[in-house]
Amino acid sequence: MGSGNLLQVVASNFDVLALPLVTLVFPLYASIKAIETRSRTDDQQWLTYWVLYSLITLFELTFAKLLEWFPIWPYAKLIFACWLVLPHFNGAAHVYRHFIRPFYMNPHSTTMWYVPRKGLFHKRDDVLTAAEKYMEEHGTEAFERLISKADREARARRKTNYVIFDDDYRY
């Protein structure tokens, strides 16, 4: 009868017991193991994981009060963490390659913050209209500086042979 109660307690608190093992203990062990090898593959996997783990933690800290309303959150986090950690899925590499890296490699510092107008009383705006409005607000010199800055950055990216994360690289 005592072992039945223990199993019941373990089953009802599975997320509390498994989450630290999946998100901290196993990645910590794998990271130490990766440091001791010469392979770059495992280093990238676990550095990527720790970046994503930090983002998840920041998300949880920011939206803690909102997440309390979702009792499924700990289980969803556990499933997502398993997807990130387990080598079979390579979830950390997928998220980094498709979401974080494109944002990091192409910062939108030269974009014009422009929302096209749509509606009954306005005709649809296009790129030329947006450029004309930008020049009206900031002048033609500012527009030329913006274009030349974007052109310089694009040429610099093409000339650079240094790659932070190789697109063809697979875990």
Side-chain angles (χ1 to χ4, degrees), residues 73-94:
W73 170 248
Y75 300 103
K77 182 181 173 186
L78 178 62
I79 291 168
F80 183 65
C82 287
W83 182 71
L84 290 175
V85 169
L86 295 175
H88 178 72
F89 299 111
N90 283 330
H94 178 79

Side-chain angles (χ1 to χ4, degrees), residues 8 10-11 14 20 26 29 36 48 51-52 84 92 109 111 125-126 130-131 135 142 145 156 168:
Q8 207 172 26
V10 169
F14 179 73
F26 177 70
Y29 169 75
E36 296 301 323
T48 302
V51 167
L52 294 173
L84 290 175
S109 61
T111 58
D125 290 340
D126 59 358
M135 285 188 279
R145 283 194 302 270
D168 299 328

Side-chain angles (χ1 to χ4, degrees), residues 35-165:
I35 291 170
E36 296 301 323
T37 65
R38 292 186 179 199
S39 172
R40 213 174 135 213
T41 306
D42 53 5
D43 294 347
Q44 287 179 338
Q45 162 67 24
W46 294 110
L47 281 172
T48 302
Y49 170 77
W50 289 113
V51 167
L52 294 173
Y53 179 78
S54 299
L55 290 174
I56 292 168
T57 303
L58 288 172
F59 174 79
E60 279 189 312
L61 291 172
T62 304
F63 297 106
K65 293 291 182 191
L66 184 65
L67 291 173
E68 289 175 2
W69 286 81
F70 298 102
I72 198 165
W73 170 248
Y75 300 103
K77 182 181 173 186
L78 178 62
I79 291 168
F80 183 65
C82 287
W83 182 71
L84 290 175
V85 169
L86 295 175
H88 178 72
F89 299 111
N90 283 330
H94 178 79
V95 170
Y96 186 82
R97 190 178 302 116
H98 291 93
F99 298 103
I100 296 173
R101 184 171 188 269
F103 179 76
Y104 179 75
M105 294 300 288
N106 299 315
H108 298 288
S109 61
T110 60
T111 58
M112 294 183 285
W113 290 97
Y114 175 73
V115 178
R117 288 187 294 174
K118 297 178 188 173
L120 295 173
F121 302 110
H122 300 103
K123 67 176 187 169
R124 248 187 122 144
D125 290 340
D126 59 358
V127 175
L128 294 176
T129 308
E132 288 172 358
K133 286 183 181 180
Y134 186 85
M135 285 188 279
E136 285 175 11
E137 291 177 13
H138 303 286
T140 56
E141 294 84 15
F143 186 72
E144 288 173 4
R145 283 194 302 270
L146 185 68
I147 296 297
S148 65
K149 181 180 178 185
D151 188 44
R152 280 193 312 270
E153 288 177 358
R155 275 189 266 129
R157 276 195 301 270
R158 276 182 264 151
K159 286 182 182 177
T160 305
N161 290 333
Y162 179 71
V163 177
I164 293 174
F165 192 86

